[in-house]
Amino acid sequence: MRWQGLLREYREYLPVNDHTPMLTLNEGNTPLIRLDHLSEEWGIDLHVKVEGVNPTGSFKDRGMVMAVAKAKEEGSDTVICASTGNTSASAAAYAARAGMRCIVVIPDGKIAMGKLAQAVMYGASIVSIEGNFDEALKMVRFISENEPVTLVNSVNPYRLEGQKTAAFEICDQLGGAPEILAIPVGNAGNISAYWKGFKEYDAIKQTGLPRMFGFEAEGAAAIVQGKPIEQPETIATAIRIGNPASWNLAVAARDESAGTIDFVTDEEILQAYSKLASTEGIFAEPGSCASLAGIHKLLKQGGIPRGSRIVAVLTGNGLKDPSTAIDISTISPVLLPNDERIVSEHIRGVVRQ
Ligand code: F0G
C-alpha cells in the first residue's frame, strides 16, 4: 500500500490523537543501502540510512512533521527555530503545508546555499544574526517564552518523538538492530531520538539494541572535550555547534549502549564525503559524513571488530551544499570548442585511459 507519512504509519508509537492534524509531505520510509565497496574494503558489513531523500532533504522532516502538527493542534499559528540550515528548511516547509507562519534565526554566512534557498522558497521570515547557532538558539528560546510562537528546535520533545521512527525503520529493514549505529552529533537531538526509538522498539518487538557511536566535528567537539566551545568551527556547517542542547541525553545514550562519542577532523569528513559519492554513488552533505568518517577512524584504531554489522546515518542530501562539492572537487569540466571531431577525439582519449 502507498506510504502515508509518519503520523499515520507510526500512529501507535507517537503522541497522535483524534485532534492531531494528519500533516504530511510523505516523510520517512527512507532507503537503507548496503555499501558493497566500502564493506569489502573495510572488512565490515556497512549500511547507510539515507535520510537525504526526505521531502526537504534531511532527517529533520521526521521531527518537524510531529512538532508542527502538535503546534497546530494546540492552536498556534507561528513556529520559530534557530538553525544551521536544515531545521529551518524543514520548519518552513511544514509550516507552509500547515498554513502557519515560520520564523527562522540563522548564523549569517554559515548556512549552505541549498538550505537558504529552501527557507526563502517556503516563505519563512528569515533573521540572519552575526552570531553562531548556539547564540541563535538562546535567542529563540527566550522569544518563545515571551511571545505567542512555538519553538520547534529539538528541545521541543515532539521533535525527538518524530525522529525516533528512523530507528524503527532500520530494525524493520535489517531484521533487527545493527551492532553499531554511527551518527553525526551537532545539537545532539538525533542521537538521543535514535536511542529512544531503539529502546522502545526492542521493548515491543525484541529487535535488540545497537551500540551508539556519535561523532562531532573536531572544531565543535563539546561533548568529547567535556566543555562548551565558545567559537565552534568546521567545514560541516550543519554540525557547527558548541553547546549541544541535548548533551545529557546524548551522554546517556552513549553510556547505556556501551557506545562512544568521538570527533572527526574536517579532513576526515571530506575524505569520507568524496569516497562515498565516488565509490558508492551516494551524495550526502559533509555533516552527514561525520558518521562514516568516524567509523573509518575507529576501524583504523582497532576500536571496531572486523565483520561488525554497522548502520551509518547519512542525515542530509549532498545537494544542500553545492559550494563545498565544487570547492573540493579535483574534477572540472573540460572546455572544448563546439566541434564533433575535437570532442570525439577527447572522448576516445578518456575511454582508452
Ligand atoms: N546532520 C545534519 C545534516 C544536520 O543538519 C544536523 C543538525 C545534524 C547532523 C546533527 O543533528 O543536532 O540532532 O545532533 N542540524 C541542525 C539544524 C542543528 O539547525 O539544521 P543533531
Side-chain angles (χ1 to χ4, degrees):
M1 208 181 66
R2 188 174 146 199
W3 181 258
Q4 299 185 82
L6 293 181
L7 302 192
R8 281 204 177 83
E9 298 287 342
Y10 293 112
R11 185 184 174 114
E12 62 202 287
Y13 300 95
L14 295 173
V16 170
N17 62 51
D18 292 345
H19 305 290
T20 312
M22 283 295 121
L23 185 63
T24 190
L25 286 166
N26 278 33
E27 60 290 322
N29 194 25
T30 58
L32 185 75
I33 300 178
R34 185 168 190 278
L35 300 187
D36 290 334
H37 299 289
L38 288 183
S39 288
E40 165 125 5
E41 186 179 328
W42 293 353
I44 52 177
D45 181 20
L46 181 59
H47 305 251
V48 284
K49 182 70 169 156
V50 187
E51 289 291 278
V53 307
N54 274 300
T56 77
S58 85
F59 72 96
K60 304 287 181 180
D61 295 340
R62 294 180 183 274
M64 208 52 78
V65 69
M66 188 77 252
V68 175
K70 292 307 271 188
K72 179 103 178 158
E73 178 187 330
E74 288 158 12
S76 171
D77 63 6
T78 305
V79 296
I80 191 168
C81 65
S83 184
T84 58
N86 282 323
T87 298
S88 55
S90 187
Y94 282 91
R97 184 82 165 162
M100 298 171 76
R101 249 194 314 263
C102 177
I103 305 164
V104 306
V105 183
I106 55 176
D108 193 44
K110 296 293 180 178
I111 299 284
M113 190 72 79
K115 304 176 187 182
L116 194 56
Q118 288 179 293
V120 172
M121 286 304 293
Y122 296 133
S125 300
I126 305 168
V127 179
S128 203
I129 61 162
E130 284 177 12
N132 59 35
F133 170 85
D134 305 284
E135 290 158 333
L137 181 58
K138 208 169 138 201
M139 281 182 205
V140 296
R141 287 179 95 150
F142 176 78
I143 293 162
S144 67
E145 280 161 20
N146 295 285
E147 303 289 336
V149 296
T150 307
L151 184 63
V152 293
N153 280 105
S154 57
V155 292
N156 175 330
Y158 295 125
R159 281 279 310 279
L160 301 198
E161 288 297 317
Q163 283 170 216
K164 76 185 180 188
T165 58
F168 300 169
E169 290 179 15
I170 289 173
C171 291
D172 287 339
Q173 289 167 316
L174 214 53
E179 288 160 69
I180 293 169
L181 189 285
I183 187 165
V185 173
N187 211 25
N190 211 26
I191 188 174
S192 310
Y194 268 79
W195 183 236
K196 187 174 198 294
F198 281 119
K199 285 194 295 186
E200 286 183 16
Y201 224 48
D202 180 52
I204 297 164
K205 301 198 175 202
Q206 289 77 52
T207 40
L209 296 171
R211 296 172 68 195
M212 301 293 291
F213 283 23
F215 298 99
E216 298 182 296
E218 183 182 33
I223 299 176
V224 176
Q225 291 194 26
K227 59 173 198 320
I229 312 287
E230 288 286 321
Q231 303 290 346
E233 218 35 271
T234 168
I235 190 154
T237 52
I239 53 173
R240 185 175 171 271
I241 295 174
N243 190 10
S246 297
W247 188 316
N248 294 337
L249 287 175
V251 167
R254 176 195 70 191
D255 295 345
E256 289 172 24
S257 74
T260 187
I261 294 179
D262 203 340
F263 71 85
V264 283
T265 64
D266 280 2
E267 202 183 323
E268 288 166 331
I269 288 173
L270 292 177
Q271 223 174 3
Y273 170 69
S274 298
K275 189 152 178 130
L276 176 69
S278 63
T279 62
E280 304 282 1
I282 299 172
F283 186 24
E285 68 170 286
S288 290
C289 297
S291 56
L292 214 54
I295 291 297
H296 192 210
K297 174 182 173 180
L298 295 191
L299 271 169
K300 284 189 290 192
Q301 292 179 351
I304 295 175
R306 300 277 147 182
S308 296
R309 175 171 277 192
I310 302 174
V311 171
V313 183
L314 298 177
T315 44
N317 196 302
L319 293 171
K320 292 269 192 178
D321 185 3
S323 320
T324 300
I326 299 294
D327 287 351
I328 68 151
S329 183
T330 51
I331 298 172
S332 54
V334 177
L335 186 62
L336 293 176
N338 182 13
D339 178 320
E340 189 177 302
R341 197 182 48 79
I342 296 172
V343 174
S344 300
E345 189 53 40
H346 172 75
I347 291 172
R348 250 177 252 126
V350 172
V351 173
R352 277 195 221 102
Q353 268 176 17

